[in-house]
Every structure is written in C-alpha cells, then in structure tokens.
Amino acid sequence: MSDAVRLLDALARRGERVATAESLTGGLLAAEIVAVPGASNAFSGGVVAYSTELKHSIVGVDADLLAERGAVDADVACQLADRVRLVCAVDGRPADVGIATTGVAGPDPQDGHAPGTVFVGIASARGIRSVRLELGGDRESIRRATVAAALALALADFDSDAE
C-alpha cells in the first residue's frame, strides 16, 4: 500500500482533510494524492506557488521572510504548510493537515542553495515542522523523491499517534 493511500485512509478515518502547497514539485504531490481512488474524501486541494511572489500573495508567507531568506528555507516551508490549510478551507473549515514543498530541483542553484536542497513542511494540530532534505540525482528524481518524502513525513504524524 502506498504512502498516499495510507495517509488518505488515516485522514478519512479521523474525518480530517489535507491540503498541499507546492513549489519545486509543481503539482506532483497533489497528483500523487488524487491518483488514489476516493481521494476527495480527504483531499481539499492544493496550490502550486512556483514563483516566490505567489508564496506571499496567494498562500500568505511573510513577505519580509521571503525577502530576507528566499523561498528555500525551513520557516518558509512551515508557513506554506500552515497557511495552505486556510487557503484550501472547505465550507469555512480549514484543512486539518498542510503539506508543503520548497527547494531546488536544479539544474542550477537558487538563492545560494545547491540542487537537491529541499524543505518539506508539515502542519497539523500535532504541530508545525519542517525537514531539510539533501537529495541527489537529476531534476525529475529530486522532484519525485521530494513527493515520496513529503508523504512519508505526513504519514509519520499518524504513525506516532498510534504508538
């Protein structure tokens, strides 16, 4: 069973929903989620905020933070994950879990970060956190590895609740 299936099952059992904010993955995370039959039971939607400006204007990431540190940053990932829950509210109810991806897929560095530098943000009632990843490979493999890591990290919140 894939992590996307397991995550959606865990969310549906709790009556919870997830939303995504994506930069370097460009919609791959949302696509992986909606590939699961019945995803609409737990997936509210997502935002592809590829440009730094959209991270602020659509998702609501602090403009000063973006100007100071750029988009490839742990705090940016946290704000993306947290604020996309409100952006993707359904009937006035924010999503329970937000997952965000930001980083450098390559081939060129960005904001002083090498390709493969990625931050995944996870926000839920269980807290807000980001994880830095250092991934290798080409652009496509970095993007796919980011999606796999994002799903695994979101799922880990549910696995830790079961302990």
Side-chain angles (χ1 to χ4, degrees):
M1 181 181 314
S2 75
D3 281 350
V5 170
R6 291 176 60 216
L7 177 63
L8 290 170
D9 284 350
L11 288 163
R13 278 194 309 274
R14 294 170 178 252
E16 294 183 352
R17 302 187 66 76
V18 63
T20 59
E22 301 182 66
S23 186
L24 82 148
T25 50
L28 283 177
L29 177 57
E32 185 77 11
I33 292 169
V34 300
V36 176
S40 61
N41 293 324
F43 182 61
S44 294
V47 174
V48 176
Y50 205 68
S51 87
T52 300
E53 293 79 14
L54 290 182
K55 288 171 183 62
H56 169 68
S57 65
I58 292 178
V59 186
V61 173
D62 182 84
D64 292 334
L65 174 64
L66 289 166
E68 216 175 275
R69 299 191 205 160
V72 183
D73 180 78
D75 292 333
V76 170
C78 285
Q79 286 191 16
L80 283 167
D82 189 37
R83 293 180 180 157
V84 76
R85 296 186 300 167
L86 293 172
V87 171
C88 291
V90 175
D91 294 329
R93 179 181 166 219
D96 302 282
V97 177
I99 308 172
T101 63
T102 188
V104 187
D108 299 318
Q110 177 186 338
D111 296 335
H113 297 281
T117 304
V118 173
F119 292 92
V120 174
I122 306 291
S124 71
R126 293 167 279 291
I128 303 169
R129 65 189 173 109
S130 69
V131 175
R132 181 184 178 124
L133 307 172
E134 295 294 338
L135 303 171
D138 63 10
R139 180 176 173 77
E140 184 64 18
S141 62
I142 290 168
R143 293 173 70 226
R144 295 223 174 263
T146 300
V147 169
L151 289 168
L153 288 165
L155 187 57
D157 279 354
F158 293 98
D159 289 343
S160 67
D161 282 354
E163 294 172 355

